[in-house]
């Protein structure tokens, strides 16, 4: 069964890969639940979750089962034909949300690309070409295609690639007055993350999302929620919009949707969806049977009262210990976020040192993330064991204590 592979090392990365990433010094080779082992056999606890992707940890039996069964059945047929897993997943997503139609793709950027193109198309069809402006938030992140970096509110990702997509402006997040001043009858969409993920794990204020909804209605603009990071149970609700009770017109999902298998989805109403008629948009792999079979298993497991309630309880467990570490070592000024998307904001003395903490944590055997240089981010499995939370945070505390000692 097992194939003999040529040995590879971390040093090979710098010889063979485009240098757009700077991966850690060790190479993970195996995972089970919330634990990962590297090439040397060293075990780490995983609070990074593949950047909010491994929503059920590593090699969850339900996902392995779904993938294996589909792998022995049918891999790919393209969108010239539909397939059963895609139709089953679509029905489950629509049953569980406001949406009436779904478009499948392969990543968060592609889900947003589809969302933004749909918003522009709807405005073009109904109001003409002048209604094309998109309002987004400073510090937001929507992916790395040219359209999505242009909508994203971080010039470091969009500068230096020639002319950007036109008609996009940015306003400070959670600032109702700024949004009010920006939205006009030329606005086709307001795009927001209900919780800014990459920007620092910053949840929206309820009044802000409500104001965005009202402004969009007033100006015939569409409200687009990017739930690529905040969705699929991570907030403790299936999607964060449900937590807030503010419903968008278009929602993008990816990351946790596939639990580690690449898939993205754009969800919307049938009224809007009809503007993407045959031939207007597409992707070869979108709705791939393997991806959809895995995502169906993901939603079956996470969209249950037990798992979603567990997310709330585990949030408390994380927040209590992180608050203690923050106070004892003076390292965090605030612990924020919803459910199992948690940000520990570095105190003034530690500002800019998130990467140093992340590296020190890995040395002690726990994988965490950063969200900007000033926030340590946690996006673990939604079913991470309490014992793993305790052990992982004990390792983080050890890392922080060593950094404090110098
Ligand atoms: C990660 C992320 C994206 C981009 O998803 P990719 O799968 O990397 O293309 C878009 N929006 C948000 C909010 C994200 O966190």
């Amino acid at each position: 069964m097992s194939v003999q592979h040529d040995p590879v090392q971390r040093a090979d990365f710098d010889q063979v890969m485009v240098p757009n990433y700077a991966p850690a010094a060790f190479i993970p080779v195996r995972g089970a639940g919330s634990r990962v082992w590297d090439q040397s056999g060293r075990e780490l606890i995983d609070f990074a979750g593949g950047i909010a992707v491994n929503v059920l940890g590593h090699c969850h039996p339900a996902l392995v089962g779904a993938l294996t069964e589909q792998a022995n059945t049918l891999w790919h047929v393209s969108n010239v034909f539909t397939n059963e897993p895609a139709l089953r997943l679509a029905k489950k997503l629509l049953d569980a949300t406001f949406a009436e139609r779904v478009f499948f793709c392969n990543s968060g950027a592609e889900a947003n690309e589809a969302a933004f193109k749909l918003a522009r198309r709807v405005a073009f069809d109904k109001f003409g070409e002048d209604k094309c402006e998109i309002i987004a938030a400073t510090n937001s992140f929507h992916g790395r295609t040219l359209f999505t970096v242009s909508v994203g509110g971080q010039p470091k990702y969009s500068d230096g690639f020639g002319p950007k997509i036109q008609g996009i402006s940015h306003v400070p997040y959670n600032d109702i007055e700024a949004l009010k001043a920006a939205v006009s009858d030329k606005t086709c969409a307001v795009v927001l993350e209900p919780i800014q993920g990459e920007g620092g794990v910053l949840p929206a204020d309820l009044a802000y999302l409500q104001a965005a909804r009202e402004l969009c209605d007033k100006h015939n603009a569409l409200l687009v929620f990017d739930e690529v990071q905040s969705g699929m149970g991570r907030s403790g609700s299936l999607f964060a919009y449900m937590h807030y009770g503010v419903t968008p017109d278009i929602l993008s999902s990816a990351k946790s949707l596939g639990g580690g298998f690449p898939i993205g989805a754009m969800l919307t109403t049938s009224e809007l969806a009809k503007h993407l008629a045959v031939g207007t948009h597409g992707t070869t792999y979108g709705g791939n049977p393997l991806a959809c079979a895995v995502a169906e298993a993901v939603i079956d497991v996470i969209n249950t009262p037990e798992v979603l309630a567990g997310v709330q309880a585990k949030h408390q467990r994380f927040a209590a210990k992180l608050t203690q570490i923050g106070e004892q070592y003076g390292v965090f000024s605030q612990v924020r976020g919803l459910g199992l998307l948690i940000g520990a904001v570095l105190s003034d003395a530690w500002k800019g040192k998130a990467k140093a903490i992340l590296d020190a944590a890995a040395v002690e055997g726990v994988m965490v993330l950063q969200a900007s240089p000033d926030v340590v981010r946690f996006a673990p499995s939604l079913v991470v064991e309490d014992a793993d939370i305790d052990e992982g945070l004990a390792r983080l505390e050890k890392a922080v204590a060593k950094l404090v000692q110098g």
Side-chain angles (χ1 to χ4, degrees), residues 67-344:
L67 180 59
T68 308
E69 191 189 334
Q70 192 59 43
N72 285 308
T73 307
L74 183 72
W75 283 34
H76 183 78
V77 291
S78 89
N79 290 300
V80 176
F81 311 91
T82 190
N83 69 81
E84 292 180 350
L87 294 172
R88 287 199 308 264
L89 174 63
K91 285 189 175 187
K92 285 188 177 165
L93 283 168
L94 302 187
D95 277 350
T97 64
F98 76 96
E100 298 157 336
R101 292 288 188 273
V102 61
F103 166 78
F104 288 125
C105 50
N106 315 290
S107 68
E110 280 182 64
N112 285 326
E113 185 84 19
F116 305 159
K117 282 181 72 178
L118 172 60
R120 282 210 164 157
R121 189 70 171 213
V122 169
F124 180 87
D125 289 348
K126 289 170 69 174
F127 304 98
E129 61 187 20
D130 283 348
K131 193 173 177 68
C132 64
E133 292 180 3
I134 294 176
I135 315 285
T138 311
N139 250 344
S140 63
F141 184 81
H142 300 298
R144 300 294 201 119
T145 65
L146 190 58
F147 200 168
T148 55
V149 286
S150 299
V151 175
Q154 304 192 51
K156 68 178 176 193
Y157 294 143
S158 54
D159 288 350
F161 293 101
K164 297 178 191 180
I165 307 278
Q166 297 299 295
I168 298 162
S169 54
H170 297 94
V171 292
Y173 192 67
N174 271 338
D175 183 335
I176 294 177
E177 289 313 312
L179 190 60
K180 240 183 218 161
V183 178
S184 75
D185 288 340
K186 285 189 168 180
T187 305
C188 73
V190 172
V191 178
L192 294 170
E193 296 164 84
I195 310 168
Q196 281 198 333
E198 301 301 309
V201 191
L202 182 59
D205 299 333
L206 172 59
Y208 183 63
L209 297 185
Q210 288 171 335
R213 179 70 272 174
E214 280 167 24
L215 285 165
C216 284
D217 292 343
K218 190 171 151 205
H219 292 279
N220 286 319
L222 299 177
L223 182 60
V224 179
F225 280 173
D226 179 346
E227 292 232 32
V228 169
Q229 188 154 164
S230 62
M232 291 303 286
R234 196 149 287 284
S235 70
S237 302
L238 183 63
F239 287 98
Y241 86 82
M242 298 168 177
H243 165 85
Y244 286 99
V246 175
T247 304
D249 301 296
I250 304 175
L251 179 148
S252 56
S253 177
K255 291 204 166 102
S256 293
L257 178 60
F261 202 98
I263 181 169
M266 180 205 58
L267 296 158
T268 188
T269 63
S270 30
E271 194 51 39
L272 297 174
K274 70 173 193 243
H275 291 268
L276 286 186
V278 172
T280 51
H281 192 59
T283 161
T284 299
Y285 261 117
N288 170 273
L290 294 166
C292 291
V294 174
E296 186 189 7
V298 169
I299 195 166
D300 282 345
V301 176
I302 67 161
N303 196 22
T304 57
E306 308 80 67
V307 170
L308 295 176
V311 172
Q312 307 285 9
K314 291 172 201 302
H315 173 95
Q316 295 308 329
R317 203 172 187 94
F318 265 96
K321 180 67 182 175
L322 288 172
T323 303
Q324 174 249 306
I325 295 174
E327 284 169 2
Q328 190 171 335
Y329 301 92
V331 61
F332 306 135
S333 62
Q334 190 196 0
V335 177
R336 68 190 182 195
L338 288 177
L340 287 174
L341 182 56
I342 298 171

